[in-house]
Amino acid sequence: RFDAVLAPIREAGVLRLTGALGDHTVPAPVITTDIQEAVEGADVLVIAVPAFAQEVFAEACAPFLRAAQIAVLAPGSTGGAFAFAQVLHREGAPGGVVVAEPLSLPYACRKIEPNHVHVGGVKRNLPLAAFPAADTRRVLAALEPVLPGMLVAAAHILETSLNNPNAMAHPVPVLLNAGWIE
């Protein structure tokens, strides 16, 4: 369903990033709609999808996951890690897959063009928790090379889920724009 969105990135082979991180062109070596290809070669999966898609991605990933892989929902969106883990269990994914979630997305960004993303801000001290919570430090260590200094340990996924700002930040603008949205 999303190949049209990914095709320009695949064709260019790069992403352009501007804004808070500077102006960079970075390689995008593997762009795929094949979930098996995306999952099997990865030690850490960062699943940045809206909350309504998290269970769909859990179902799609489950047959290809292996023990000790880390699946990070960015963000978990109020119970996402728990729901994702339940679906993995129901779908027969192997034990030992760690599911984690930060409180929010690590970057404030917008897609400007098909392969151009503007990063408006970088979050610091962003709480992250794993499920099970005993694996939080391992997840933080795995993410440190790609999100240096950005994440801190939360006690558990209830902390990240119940403090997620989406439930407070989004209803008011939606309500005030109901006419325009309709």
Side-chain angles (χ1 to χ4, degrees):
R1 287 184 3 205
F2 302 103
D3 193 58
V5 174
L6 299 175
I9 303 167
R10 186 182 310 109
E11 290 167 13
V14 297
L15 278 172
R16 180 168 177 227
L17 302 174
T18 57
L21 299 175
D23 193 339
H24 304 281
T25 300
V26 296
V30 178
I31 304 296
T32 185
T33 57
D34 180 339
I35 199 77
Q36 182 174 2
E37 179 183 7
V39 170
E40 285 187 335
D43 294 326
V44 178
L45 307 165
V46 177
I47 302 167
V49 298
F52 64 81
Q54 291 173 347
E55 290 185 17
V56 173
F57 272 79
E59 289 170 356
C61 291
F64 310 112
L65 291 169
R66 64 183 191 287
Q69 269 182 311
I70 298 169
V72 180
L73 300 175
S77 298
T78 315
F82 183 67
F84 196 91
Q86 280 187 311
V87 172
L88 293 183
H89 179 73
R90 182 187 76 221
E91 296 296 318
V97 174
V98 177
V99 181
E101 64 179 34
L103 182 133
S104 179
L105 288 166
Y107 299 101
C109 55
R110 291 278 181 243
K111 182 170 104 171
I112 304 298
E113 295 173 349
N115 71 323
H116 175 187
V117 176
H118 181 79
V119 180
V122 178
K123 297 178 184 158
R124 300 279 179 225
N125 299 313
L126 184 63
L128 175 134
F131 185 69
D135 288 318
T136 297
R137 295 279 176 214
R138 183 167 77 89
V139 174
L140 289 171
L143 292 173
E144 180 62 23
V146 292
L147 299 171
M150 295 173 64
L151 303 170
V152 296
H156 42 67
I157 62 170
L158 286 177
E159 181 181 338
T160 54
S161 285
L162 296 178
N163 287 318
N164 182 294
N166 285 338
M168 284 123 345
H170 291 231
V172 171
V174 168
L175 181 62
L176 294 175
N177 287 288
W180 182 80
I181 292 168
E182 191 175 294

